Amino acid sequence: MSSLMLEEALSAPDAVARQLAADPLSYARLGQALQEQPPASVLTIARGSSDHAAHYLAYLVMARLGRLVTSLPMSLITLYQSRIHCEGLLSLAFSQSGQSPDLIAPTRFFREGGARTVAFVNASGSPLAAAAEHVFELHAGPEKSVAATKSYIAQLVAGARVVAAWQQDDTLRAALNVLPIALTEAAKLDWSAALPVLQGADRLFVLGRGTGLAVAMEAALKLKETCGIQAEAFSGAEVKHGPMALVRDGYPLLVFAPRGPAQAGLLAIAEEMHARGGRVLLAAPIGTPCTPGVVQLPLVTTGNEDLDPIALVQSFYPMVEALARARGFNPDVPPNLAKVTKTH
C-alpha cells in the first residue's frame, strides 16, 4: 500500500524539473548582484528539514565562494530583541509553508535594517515571502505528507542554483539541468538491504561529512519522526570525539559516503566502526570497494559531485518510508507532529 510520503518522494524529480525551468532570470539577477556587491556577512534562517537544506547551501557558499555563513539563533530577534547590525548582510530563509513567526520576524527585521533578504518557500503567497525582498518559489506543489520530502529536495536544488548563479559556474549549471534524470534513477535504487538491520533498532548513528552532512542530518530527523528511532547525525570526524564509545555489540550505523574529498575518511570510519562491532550500512557509489560484512547501499552519481547528496537523499526516502511501515508506523501521520509548525 502506497503512502503520501512515498508518492511525494517519488515525485521529486518532476518537481525539480519544474523548478529548474522556472525563474532563471531571478536567480541570474541575484547572482549578478552578489558578484557586483558581495555581502559582508551571510546567515541562514530555518528550522527542521529546511535548516538541513540551509546547511547544504551554507557549505557550498563557504567551500566554493569562501564566504563564512552563520545559522541564526532566531531567539536573538524574537525573544532577546538583539539589534544585529544589518549593513552588508545577506539573509537566506528556508521554509515550506512560510508561516512560522520565528522566520518571518527576523526576515522582516533584517529587511527593514537594510540587509538583502532572500526566502525559499513552497508557498509564494505566504507571510515569509511577503517579508523578503527576493523570493524563490520551490515549485514542489502541495505537500500533504507531514514528513517533508520533495520540498526538501527542491530546497537543496534552489540553494545550489543560487551558488551556481553567484559563482557564475556553467559546469554546475549544466549539472543542475540534467539532475532530474539522476534523481529518477536514484529513486529506483534498491535499499531494502537496510530493513533487516534497522527494523528492530531503537538507536542509530547517521554519519556524513562536507556536503553530505546536511542529508545525514535530514536522514536522522526522518528516522526519528517516521520510524521512532533515536537517530543522531554526526560528522564522520566528530563521531570519534566521544560518540563512538557507544559503538559495540551490533550498534547500527548508516554511513553516507558520496563522491568528494570527504569520501575516503567516511569509508575508513565505516571500516573502523565495523571492526568495533557495529552493524554498518554504507551508502556509496556503485562499485565502491566495501569491507566484508558491511552492508552496501548503492548511490547514483550526478553531473557534479556537489550535487550527489541530493541524489543520495532521493534514494533514502523510499527506504525510510518502507522502514516506517515495517515497524508498524503510518509514515503520513508521525506521532505528535503537524504539517505547519509555528514557533516564536
Side-chain angles (χ1 to χ4, degrees):
M1 180 179 176
S2 181
S3 67
L4 287 172
M5 180 184 177
L6 181 60
E7 290 175 9
E8 291 176 348
L10 296 180
S11 74
D14 289 338
V16 169
R18 284 195 303 273
Q19 187 204 120
L20 291 170
D23 310 314
L25 294 179
S26 297
Y27 281 93
R29 280 194 292 266
L30 178 61
Q32 186 67 34
L34 294 172
Q35 275 234 335
E36 293 174 354
Q37 190 178 359
S41 55
V42 185
L43 58 79
T44 62
I45 310 172
R47 292 227 187 268
S49 291
S50 296
D51 191 44
H52 305 153
H55 188 94
Y56 173 74
L57 168 60
Y59 207 94
L60 290 182
V61 169
M62 290 188 284
R64 286 172 160 265
L65 291 151
R67 299 277 171 180
L68 290 176
V69 184
T70 300
S71 175
L72 176 73
M74 284 160 272
S75 62
L76 288 175
I77 304 297
T78 60
L79 298 181
Y80 292 90
Q81 285 81 52
S82 174
R83 308 306 297 175
I84 294 175
H85 293 284
C86 298
E87 295 84 1
L89 173 66
L90 170 67
S91 80
L92 304 153
F94 288 77
S95 177
Q96 294 143 35
S97 70
Q99 299 287 337
S100 185
D102 61 356
L103 277 69
I104 299 163
T107 299
R108 185 179 294 125
F109 170 84
F110 293 134
R111 185 175 183 182
E112 291 173 353
R116 280 178 285 189
T117 54
V118 180
F120 303 94
V121 293
N122 204 31
S124 58
S126 64
L128 178 61
E133 177 186 2
H134 302 276
V135 179
F136 294 98
E137 189 174 352
L138 301 179
H139 299 284
E143 192 164 49
K144 298 176 182 178
S145 172
V146 172
T149 54
K150 62 180 181 178
S151 60
Y152 173 73
I153 289 174
Q155 287 176 328
L156 296 176
V157 173
R161 290 181 76 185
V162 166
V163 172
W166 186 353
Q167 200 174 17
Q168 297 188 359
D169 186 326
D170 289 336
T171 301
L172 183 56
R173 285 194 188 107
L176 280 163
N177 287 336
V178 296
L179 182 60
I181 299 172
L183 294 181
T184 299
E185 184 181 351
K188 298 175 182 176
L189 290 183
D190 182 7
W191 278 31
S192 61
L195 298 184
V197 177
L198 300 180
Q199 187 168 347
D202 60 359
R203 54 185 181 165
L204 170 71
F205 285 164
V206 187
L207 306 185
R209 201 173 182 191
T211 54
L213 181 57
V215 296
M217 295 160 65
E218 168 66 5
L221 177 63
K222 288 296 183 287
L223 286 159
K224 288 186 185 80
E225 66 184 1
T226 66
C227 300
I229 299 174
Q230 182 62 45
E232 301 298 334
F234 288 100
S235 159
E238 190 65 31
V239 75
K240 301 186 78 169
H241 287 261
M244 68 186 289
L246 297 174
V247 178
R248 59 185 184 275
D249 303 330
Y251 193 104
L253 302 98
L254 176 54
V255 181
F256 289 166
R259 296 180 302 168
Q263 186 189 58
L266 288 162
L267 295 177
I269 200 74
E271 182 176 358
E272 181 178 351
M273 295 300 104
H274 173 68
R276 286 176 169 270
R279 296 190 71 188
V280 178
L281 298 164
L282 175 65
I286 297 168
T288 301
C290 187
T291 303
V294 170
V295 178
Q296 189 161 7
L297 307 173
L299 294 183
V300 163
T301 56
T302 68
N304 188 294
E305 65 184 30
D306 282 343
L307 302 181
D308 284 6
I310 307 179
L312 189 161
V313 78
Q314 177 73 79
S315 298
F316 167 81
Y317 280 143
M319 183 280 288
V320 77
E321 186 273 347
L323 178 62
R325 289 188 287 107
R327 288 170 63 90
F329 291 92
N330 180 347
D332 292 334
V333 190
N336 306 316
L337 296 179
K339 184 61 189 167
V340 178
T341 302
K342 294 186 177 182
T343 51
H344 292 270

